Amino acid sequence: MVQEAIKFEEGWSYLQKGITRLIRHLEGEPEQALKTQHCMELYNTAYHMCTQNPNYSQQLYDKYREVIEDYTMQTVLPSLREKHDEYMLRELVKRWNNHKLMVRQLAIIFGYLEGYFFRWKRINSSLREVGLIYFHDLVCHSHFYSF
């Protein structure tokens, strides 16, 4: 069976809807969690994009990092800035746990990148490591805790 070509914008739009659904669920909005079937459809979309056009792999990797950075900058940091003392620590733990769940799901969706693109580009970190490092760098090196 021949897979129909996917334009980057179309494929990314579909992936972005799934990612938005994941984030909304993590944020406690009335959104169903991603089911295994939907995760596999998202994975297959990313897989087909990468195998039909190798340039899409770099673009998807950039989008993966962008999603994590945007979520951290637009959602995590503002929520931490609003809290103080032990409430900030509780919020940090909540945000860290949500971030780990999001990175785990994104690593499944973008999993093909690790097996193909990471080896080709000789990237030694996993998608999970990249996602966790972003959190550390953006949160711990930000000034959300300014005195």
Side-chain angles (χ1 to χ4, degrees):
M1 184 165 94
V2 176
Q3 177 68 30
E4 198 174 309
I6 303 170
K7 292 181 182 175
F8 185 83
E9 296 77 23
E10 292 170 6
W12 176 243
S13 176
Y14 178 72
L15 292 170
Q16 197 170 30
K17 287 176 188 170
I19 292 166
T20 299
R21 184 174 165 184
L22 167 65
I23 291 171
R24 289 182 54 160
H25 176 73
L26 287 173
E27 289 302 306
E29 295 179 29
E31 187 74 57
Q32 266 191 345
L34 292 178
K35 303 258 192 255
T36 304
Q37 170 96 21
H38 192 203
C39 280
M40 290 310 300
E41 290 168 4
L42 294 168
Y43 172 88
N44 284 334
T45 299
Y47 168 82
H48 289 300
M49 290 173 71
C50 292
T51 56
Q52 77 181 15
N53 184 337
N55 294 326
Y56 287 177
S57 297
Q58 179 68 56
Q59 291 174 296
L60 283 178
Y61 180 59
D62 293 343
K63 290 291 189 184
Y64 169 82
R65 293 183 314 174
E66 186 179 300
V67 163
I68 291 172
E69 183 175 348
D70 288 350
Y71 174 74
T72 304
M73 299 297 285
Q74 296 171 12
T75 304
V76 174
L77 290 178
S79 73
L80 293 172
R81 285 187 186 109
E82 295 171 357
K83 308 283 191 290
H84 302 285
D85 303 322
E86 70 270 10
Y87 301 106
M88 188 275 296
L89 291 175
R90 286 185 186 129
E91 186 70 16
L92 180 60
V93 169
K94 173 188 165 188
R95 294 296 170 181
W96 174 240
N97 288 331
N98 281 357
H99 188 80
K100 290 187 298 185
L101 289 171
M102 182 179 76
V103 166
R104 187 178 318 138
Q105 289 287 294
L106 291 177
I108 292 168
I109 294 167
F110 291 96
Y112 183 74
L113 291 175
E114 275 187 17
Y116 165 74
F117 179 70
F118 277 39
R119 284 191 212 150
W120 180 58
K121 287 286 194 173
R122 298 189 178 167
I123 298 171
N124 294 324
S125 301
S126 68
L127 286 168
R128 287 183 183 177
E129 289 170 331
V130 169
L132 300 178
I133 289 168
Y134 260 61
F135 184 92
H136 173 268
D137 290 351
L138 293 170
V139 172
C140 295
H141 295 241
S142 76
H143 298 289
F144 79 87
Y145 50 82
S146 60
F147 298 96

